[in-house]
PDB file of all heavy atoms in Angstrom:
ATOM      1  N   HIS A   1     -21.571  59.582 -60.189  1.00  0.00           N
ATOM      2  CA  HIS A   1     -22.488  58.443 -60.313  1.00  0.00           C
ATOM      3  C   HIS A   1     -22.593  57.867 -61.731  1.00  0.00           C
ATOM      4  O   HIS A   1     -23.538  57.141 -62.030  1.00  0.00           O
ATOM      5  CB  HIS A   1     -23.907  58.839 -59.840  1.00  0.00           C
ATOM      6  CG  HIS A   1     -24.528  59.951 -60.635  1.00  0.00           C
ATOM      7  ND1 HIS A   1     -24.826  61.164 -60.095  1.00  0.00           N
ATOM      8  CD2 HIS A   1     -24.898  60.041 -61.932  1.00  0.00           C
ATOM      9  CE1 HIS A   1     -25.361  61.944 -61.005  1.00  0.00           C
ATOM     10  NE2 HIS A   1     -25.405  61.275 -62.134  1.00  0.00           N
ATOM     11  N   SER A   2     -21.619  58.159 -62.595  1.00  0.00           N
ATOM     12  CA  SER A   2     -21.659  57.628 -63.956  1.00  0.00           C
ATOM     13  C   SER A   2     -20.436  56.768 -64.230  1.00  0.00           C
ATOM     14  O   SER A   2     -19.323  57.082 -63.778  1.00  0.00           O
ATOM     15  CB  SER A   2     -21.746  58.762 -64.977  1.00  0.00           C
ATOM     16  OG  SER A   2     -22.990  59.428 -64.872  1.00  0.00           O
ATOM     17  N   PHE A   3     -20.648  55.700 -65.009  1.00  0.00           N
ATOM     18  CA  PHE A   3     -19.603  54.706 -65.233  1.00  0.00           C
ATOM     19  C   PHE A   3     -19.594  54.296 -66.707  1.00  0.00           C
ATOM     20  O   PHE A   3     -20.574  54.464 -67.425  1.00  0.00           O
ATOM     21  CB  PHE A   3     -19.849  53.471 -64.349  1.00  0.00           C
ATOM     22  CG  PHE A   3     -19.905  53.791 -62.884  1.00  0.00           C
ATOM     23  CD1 PHE A   3     -21.082  54.232 -62.288  1.00  0.00           C
ATOM     24  CD2 PHE A   3     -18.771  53.667 -62.091  1.00  0.00           C
ATOM     25  CE1 PHE A   3     -21.140  54.540 -60.933  1.00  0.00           C
ATOM     26  CE2 PHE A   3     -18.816  53.972 -60.736  1.00  0.00           C
ATOM     27  CZ  PHE A   3     -19.995  54.407 -60.165  1.00  0.00           C
ATOM     28  N   ILE A   4     -18.464  53.751 -67.135  1.00  0.00           N
ATOM     29  CA  ILE A   4     -18.322  53.238 -68.491  1.00  0.00           C
ATOM     30  C   ILE A   4     -17.756  51.823 -68.415  1.00  0.00           C
ATOM     31  O   ILE A   4     -16.879  51.545 -67.596  1.00  0.00           O
ATOM     32  CB  ILE A   4     -17.415  54.165 -69.343  1.00  0.00           C
ATOM     33  CG1 ILE A   4     -17.330  53.653 -70.784  1.00  0.00           C
ATOM     34  CG2 ILE A   4     -16.024  54.287 -68.730  1.00  0.00           C
ATOM     35  CD1 ILE A   4     -16.624  54.639 -71.720  1.00  0.00           C
ATOM     36  N   CYS A   5     -18.268  50.944 -69.250  1.00  0.00           N
ATOM     37  CA  CYS A   5     -17.799  49.556 -69.273  1.00  0.00           C
ATOM     38  C   CYS A   5     -16.626  49.465 -70.246  1.00  0.00           C
ATOM     39  O   CYS A   5     -16.779  49.714 -71.440  1.00  0.00           O
ATOM     40  CB  CYS A   5     -18.927  48.618 -69.699  1.00  0.00           C
ATOM     41  SG  CYS A   5     -18.534  46.863 -69.480  1.00  0.00           S
ATOM     42  N   VAL A   6     -15.455  49.138 -69.702  1.00  0.00           N
ATOM     43  CA  VAL A   6     -14.224  49.110 -70.494  1.00  0.00           C
ATOM     44  C   VAL A   6     -13.728  47.665 -70.578  1.00  0.00           C
ATOM     45  O   VAL A   6     -13.289  47.102 -69.578  1.00  0.00           O
ATOM     46  CB  VAL A   6     -13.136  50.002 -69.867  1.00  0.00           C
ATOM     47  CG1 VAL A   6     -11.876  49.987 -70.710  1.00  0.00           C
ATOM     48  CG2 VAL A   6     -13.655  51.432 -69.711  1.00  0.00           C
ATOM     49  N   PRO A   7     -13.789  47.054 -71.759  1.00  0.00           N
ATOM     50  CA  PRO A   7     -13.412  45.635 -71.883  1.00  0.00           C
ATOM     51  C   PRO A   7     -11.903  45.439 -71.957  1.00  0.00           C
ATOM     52  O   PRO A   7     -11.362  45.035 -72.986  1.00  0.00           O
ATOM     53  CB  PRO A   7     -14.104  45.214 -73.182  1.00  0.00           C
ATOM     54  CG  PRO A   7     -14.119  46.468 -74.006  1.00  0.00           C
ATOM     55  CD  PRO A   7     -14.297  47.608 -73.039  1.00  0.00           C
ATOM     56  N   ASP A   8     -11.199  45.758 -70.861  1.00  0.00           N
ATOM     57  CA  ASP A   8      -9.746  45.591 -70.861  1.00  0.00           C
ATOM     58  C   ASP A   8      -9.333  44.448 -69.936  1.00  0.00           C
ATOM     59  O   ASP A   8      -8.369  44.538 -69.194  1.00  0.00           O
ATOM     60  CB  ASP A   8      -9.049  46.894 -70.466  1.00  0.00           C
ATOM     61  CG  ASP A   8      -9.479  47.405 -69.099  1.00  0.00           C
ATOM     62  OD1 ASP A   8     -10.397  46.807 -68.508  1.00  0.00           O
ATOM     63  OD2 ASP A   8      -8.884  48.382 -68.609  1.00  0.00           O
ATOM     64  N   GLY A   9     -10.081  43.357 -70.015  1.00  0.00           N
ATOM     65  CA  GLY A   9      -9.822  42.183 -69.191  1.00  0.00           C
ATOM     66  C   GLY A   9     -10.848  42.053 -68.088  1.00  0.00           C
ATOM     67  O   GLY A   9     -11.288  43.047 -67.510  1.00  0.00           O
ATOM     68  N   ILE A  10     -11.244  40.816 -67.819  1.00  0.00           N
ATOM     69  CA  ILE A  10     -12.258  40.543 -66.800  1.00  0.00           C
ATOM     70  C   ILE A  10     -11.577  39.948 -65.574  1.00  0.00           C
ATOM     71  O   ILE A  10     -10.860  38.942 -65.661  1.00  0.00           O
ATOM     72  CB  ILE A  10     -13.322  39.573 -67.340  1.00  0.00           C
ATOM     73  CG1 ILE A  10     -14.099  40.249 -68.477  1.00  0.00           C
ATOM     74  CG2 ILE A  10     -14.272  39.131 -66.232  1.00  0.00           C
ATOM     75  CD1 ILE A  10     -15.082  39.333 -69.168  1.00  0.00           C
ATOM     76  N   ARG A  11     -11.818  40.557 -64.439  1.00  0.00           N
ATOM     77  CA  ARG A  11     -11.270  40.073 -63.175  1.00  0.00           C
ATOM     78  C   ARG A  11     -12.151  38.952 -62.635  1.00  0.00           C
ATOM     79  O   ARG A  11     -13.373  39.022 -62.682  1.00  0.00           O
ATOM     80  CB  ARG A  11     -11.193  41.219 -62.175  1.00  0.00           C
ATOM     81  CG  ARG A  11     -10.640  40.814 -60.810  1.00  0.00           C
ATOM     82  CD  ARG A  11     -10.557  42.011 -59.885  1.00  0.00           C
ATOM     83  NE  ARG A  11     -10.135  41.640 -58.537  1.00  0.00           N
ATOM     84  CZ  ARG A  11      -9.954  42.497 -57.544  1.00  0.00           C
ATOM     85  NH1 ARG A  11     -10.162  43.793 -57.759  1.00  0.00           N
ATOM     86  NH2 ARG A  11      -9.571  42.074 -56.357  1.00  0.00           N
ATOM     87  N   PHE A  12     -11.506  37.907 -62.095  1.00  0.00           N
ATOM     88  CA  PHE A  12     -12.267  36.819 -61.487  1.00  0.00           C
ATOM     89  C   PHE A  12     -11.492  36.260 -60.310  1.00  0.00           C
ATOM     90  O   PHE A  12     -10.303  36.525 -60.118  1.00  0.00           O
ATOM     91  CB  PHE A  12     -12.569  35.708 -62.506  1.00  0.00           C
ATOM     92  CG  PHE A  12     -11.364  34.922 -62.943  1.00  0.00           C
ATOM     93  CD1 PHE A  12     -10.962  33.780 -62.259  1.00  0.00           C
ATOM     94  CD2 PHE A  12     -10.616  35.315 -64.042  1.00  0.00           C
ATOM     95  CE1 PHE A  12      -9.850  33.050 -62.652  1.00  0.00           C
ATOM     96  CE2 PHE A  12      -9.500  34.596 -64.453  1.00  0.00           C
ATOM     97  CZ  PHE A  12      -9.122  33.463 -63.754  1.00  0.00           C
ATOM     98  N   CYS A  13     -12.171  35.472 -59.495  1.00  0.00           N
ATOM     99  CA  CYS A  13     -11.504  34.802 -58.374  1.00  0.00           C
ATOM    100  C   CYS A  13     -12.261  33.538 -58.022  1.00  0.00           C
ATOM    101  O   CYS A  13     -13.410  33.342 -58.432  1.00  0.00           O
ATOM    102  CB  CYS A  13     -11.399  35.725 -57.154  1.00  0.00           C
ATOM    103  SG  CYS A  13     -12.957  35.939 -56.274  1.00  0.00           S
ATOM    104  N   GLU A  14     -11.614  32.674 -57.261  1.00  0.00           N
ATOM    105  CA  GLU A  14     -12.221  31.461 -56.728  1.00  0.00           C
ATOM    106  C   GLU A  14     -11.779  31.286 -55.284  1.00  0.00           C
ATOM    107  O   GLU A  14     -10.636  31.602 -54.931  1.00  0.00           O
ATOM    108  CB  GLU A  14     -11.794  30.215 -57.517  1.00  0.00           C
ATOM    109  CG  GLU A  14     -12.308  30.148 -58.936  1.00  0.00           C
ATOM    110  CD  GLU A  14     -11.781  28.931 -59.669  1.00  0.00           C
ATOM    111  OE1 GLU A  14     -10.986  28.180 -59.088  1.00  0.00           O
ATOM    112  OE2 GLU A  14     -12.157  28.753 -60.840  1.00  0.00           O
ATOM    113  N   ALA A  15     -12.686  30.798 -54.477  1.00  0.00           N
ATOM    114  CA  ALA A  15     -12.341  30.378 -53.119  1.00  0.00           C
ATOM    115  C   ALA A  15     -12.939  29.001 -52.912  1.00  0.00           C
ATOM    116  O   ALA A  15     -14.064  28.734 -53.338  1.00  0.00           O
ATOM    117  CB  ALA A  15     -12.879  31.361 -52.082  1.00  0.00           C
ATOM    118  N   GLU A  16     -12.194  28.116 -52.275  1.00  0.00           N
ATOM    119  CA  GLU A  16     -12.715  26.768 -52.026  1.00  0.00           C
ATOM    120  C   GLU A  16     -12.218  26.267 -50.681  1.00  0.00           C
ATOM    121  O   GLU A  16     -11.131  26.636 -50.222  1.00  0.00           O
ATOM    122  CB  GLU A  16     -12.327  25.807 -53.146  1.00  0.00           C
ATOM    123  CG  GLU A  16     -10.848  25.600 -53.351  1.00  0.00           C
ATOM    124  CD  GLU A  16     -10.551  24.604 -54.458  1.00  0.00           C
ATOM    125  OE1 GLU A  16     -11.379  24.457 -55.379  1.00  0.00           O
ATOM    126  OE2 GLU A  16      -9.484  23.966 -54.382  1.00  0.00           O
ATOM    127  N   GLN A  17     -13.054  25.441 -50.077  1.00  0.00           N
ATOM    128  CA  GLN A  17     -12.712  24.930 -48.754  1.00  0.00           C
ATOM    129  C   GLN A  17     -13.356  23.584 -48.525  1.00  0.00           C
ATOM    130  O   GLN A  17     -14.530  23.377 -48.846  1.00  0.00           O
ATOM    131  CB  GLN A  17     -13.165  25.921 -47.668  1.00  0.00           C
ATOM    132  CG  GLN A  17     -12.720  25.527 -46.267  1.00  0.00           C
ATOM    133  CD  GLN A  17     -13.017  26.590 -45.238  1.00  0.00           C
ATOM    134  OE1 GLN A  17     -13.812  27.489 -45.480  1.00  0.00           O
ATOM    135  NE2 GLN A  17     -12.379  26.502 -44.080  1.00  0.00           N
ATOM    136  N   CYS A  18     -12.582  22.670 -47.981  1.00  0.00           N
ATOM    137  CA  CYS A  18     -13.102  21.406 -47.470  1.00  0.00           C
ATOM    138  C   CYS A  18     -13.260  21.542 -45.957  1.00  0.00           C
ATOM    139  O   CYS A  18     -12.503  22.265 -45.308  1.00  0.00           O
ATOM    140  CB  CYS A  18     -12.160  20.242 -47.778  1.00  0.00           C
ATOM    141  SG  CYS A  18     -12.109  19.760 -49.518  1.00  0.00           S
ATOM    142  N   ARG A  19     -14.241  20.839 -45.418  1.00  0.00           N
ATOM    143  CA  ARG A  19     -14.423  20.884 -43.970  1.00  0.00           C
ATOM    144  C   ARG A  19     -13.152  20.387 -43.272  1.00  0.00           C
ATOM    145  O   ARG A  19     -12.569  19.379 -43.665  1.00  0.00           O
ATOM    146  CB  ARG A  19     -15.639  20.044 -43.567  1.00  0.00           C
ATOM    147  CG  ARG A  19     -16.011  20.200 -42.100  1.00  0.00           C
ATOM    148  CD  ARG A  19     -17.417  19.698 -41.825  1.00  0.00           C
ATOM    149  NE  ARG A  19     -18.431  20.500 -42.503  1.00  0.00           N
ATOM    150  CZ  ARG A  19     -18.886  21.671 -42.069  1.00  0.00           C
ATOM    151  NH1 ARG A  19     -18.368  22.209 -40.961  1.00  0.00           N
ATOM    152  NH2 ARG A  19     -19.825  22.319 -42.732  1.00  0.00           N
ATOM    153  N   ASN A  20     -12.713  21.119 -42.293  1.00  0.00           N
ATOM    154  CA  ASN A  20     -11.471  20.845 -41.558  1.00  0.00           C
ATOM    155  C   ASN A  20     -10.215  21.037 -42.410  1.00  0.00           C
ATOM    156  O   ASN A  20      -9.132  20.587 -42.033  1.00  0.00           O
ATOM    157  CB  ASN A  20     -11.482  19.427 -40.971  1.00  0.00           C
ATOM    158  CG  ASN A  20     -12.645  19.200 -40.020  1.00  0.00           C
ATOM    159  OD1 ASN A  20     -13.006  20.096 -39.259  1.00  0.00           O
ATOM    160  ND2 ASN A  20     -13.252  18.023 -40.087  1.00  0.00           N
ATOM    161  N   GLY A  21     -10.379  21.703 -43.553  1.00  0.00           N
ATOM    162  CA  GLY A  21      -9.224  21.975 -44.416  1.00  0.00           C
ATOM    163  C   GLY A  21      -9.007  23.461 -44.571  1.00  0.00           C
ATOM    164  O   GLY A  21      -9.821  24.286 -44.135  1.00  0.00           O
ATOM    165  N   PRO A  22      -7.895  23.855 -45.186  1.00  0.00           N
ATOM    166  CA  PRO A  22      -7.596  25.281 -45.352  1.00  0.00           C
ATOM    167  C   PRO A  22      -8.494  25.931 -46.399  1.00  0.00           C
ATOM    168  O   PRO A  22      -8.968  25.268 -47.330  1.00  0.00           O
ATOM    169  CB  PRO A  22      -6.133  25.276 -45.810  1.00  0.00           C
ATOM    170  CG  PRO A  22      -5.977  23.964 -46.513  1.00  0.00           C
ATOM    171  CD  PRO A  22      -6.845  22.992 -45.764  1.00  0.00           C
ATOM    172  N   LEU A  23      -8.714  27.209 -46.236  1.00  0.00           N
ATOM    173  CA  LEU A  23      -9.423  28.000 -47.233  1.00  0.00           C
ATOM    174  C   LEU A  23      -8.420  28.438 -48.291  1.00  0.00           C
ATOM    175  O   LEU A  23      -7.422  29.100 -47.975  1.00  0.00           O
ATOM    176  CB  LEU A  23     -10.075  29.218 -46.583  1.00  0.00           C
ATOM    177  CG  LEU A  23     -10.765  30.214 -47.507  1.00  0.00           C
ATOM    178  CD1 LEU A  23     -11.927  29.572 -48.240  1.00  0.00           C
ATOM    179  CD2 LEU A  23     -11.238  31.427 -46.722  1.00  0.00           C
ATOM    180  N   LEU A  24      -8.639  28.041 -49.543  1.00  0.00           N
ATOM    181  CA  LEU A  24      -7.732  28.353 -50.640  1.00  0.00           C
ATOM    182  C   LEU A  24      -8.337  29.432 -51.525  1.00  0.00           C
ATOM    183  O   LEU A  24      -9.535  29.398 -51.814  1.00  0.00           O
ATOM    184  CB  LEU A  24      -7.431  27.103 -51.464  1.00  0.00           C
ATOM    185  CG  LEU A  24      -6.842  25.908 -50.698  1.00  0.00           C
ATOM    186  CD1 LEU A  24      -6.633  24.724 -51.646  1.00  0.00           C
ATOM    187  CD2 LEU A  24      -5.538  26.291 -50.019  1.00  0.00           C
ATOM    188  N   VAL A  25      -7.506  30.375 -51.942  1.00  0.00           N
ATOM    189  CA  VAL A  25      -7.981  31.493 -52.748  1.00  0.00           C
ATOM    190  C   VAL A  25      -7.157  31.583 -54.030  1.00  0.00           C
ATOM    191  O   VAL A  25      -5.930  31.500 -54.004  1.00  0.00           O
ATOM    192  CB  VAL A  25      -7.887  32.823 -51.968  1.00  0.00           C
ATOM    193  CG1 VAL A  25      -8.377  33.982 -52.832  1.00  0.00           C
ATOM    194  CG2 VAL A  25      -8.711  32.746 -50.683  1.00  0.00           C
ATOM    195  N   PHE A  26      -7.866  31.742 -55.146  1.00  0.00           N
ATOM    196  CA  PHE A  26      -7.260  31.932 -56.458  1.00  0.00           C
ATOM    197  C   PHE A  26      -7.836  33.212 -57.058  1.00  0.00           C
ATOM    198  O   PHE A  26      -8.958  33.608 -56.734  1.00  0.00           O
ATOM    199  CB  PHE A  26      -7.563  30.757 -57.397  1.00  0.00           C
ATOM    200  CG  PHE A  26      -7.226  29.407 -56.831  1.00  0.00           C
ATOM    201  CD1 PHE A  26      -8.121  28.746 -55.993  1.00  0.00           C
ATOM    202  CD2 PHE A  26      -6.026  28.793 -57.133  1.00  0.00           C
ATOM    203  CE1 PHE A  26      -7.820  27.499 -55.464  1.00  0.00           C
ATOM    204  CE2 PHE A  26      -5.716  27.544 -56.614  1.00  0.00           C
ATOM    205  CZ  PHE A  26      -6.615  26.901 -55.775  1.00  0.00           C
ATOM    206  N   ALA A  27      -7.080  33.840 -57.925  1.00  0.00           N
ATOM    207  CA  ALA A  27      -7.575  35.034 -58.605  1.00  0.00           C
ATOM    208  C   ALA A  27      -6.999  35.064 -60.005  1.00  0.00           C
ATOM    209  O   ALA A  27      -6.095  34.290 -60.343  1.00  0.00           O
ATOM    210  CB  ALA A  27      -7.197  36.301 -57.833  1.00  0.00           C
ATOM    211  N   GLY A  28      -7.542  35.960 -60.836  1.00  0.00           N
ATOM    212  CA  GLY A  28      -7.016  36.012 -62.192  1.00  0.00           C
ATOM    213  C   GLY A  28      -7.662  37.074 -63.045  1.00  0.00           C
ATOM    214  O   GLY A  28      -8.509  37.857 -62.605  1.00  0.00           O
TER     215      GLY A  28
END
């Protein structure tokens, strides 16, 4: 139950969708 914060890059993502359009996913 113990953790350490390691600043070796921050993970992120995006998801976006228009009505009647495809769901698009980005990450980085």
Side-chain angles (χ1 to χ4, degrees):
H1 61 245
S2 293
F3 302 84
I4 183 171
C5 190
V6 181
D8 58 354
I10 294 174
R11 180 178 175 178
F12 69 90
C13 75
E14 293 177 357
E16 61 178 27
Q17 186 173 17
C18 289
R19 188 163 295 280
N20 301 322
L23 175 63
L24 303 178
V25 179
F26 308 84

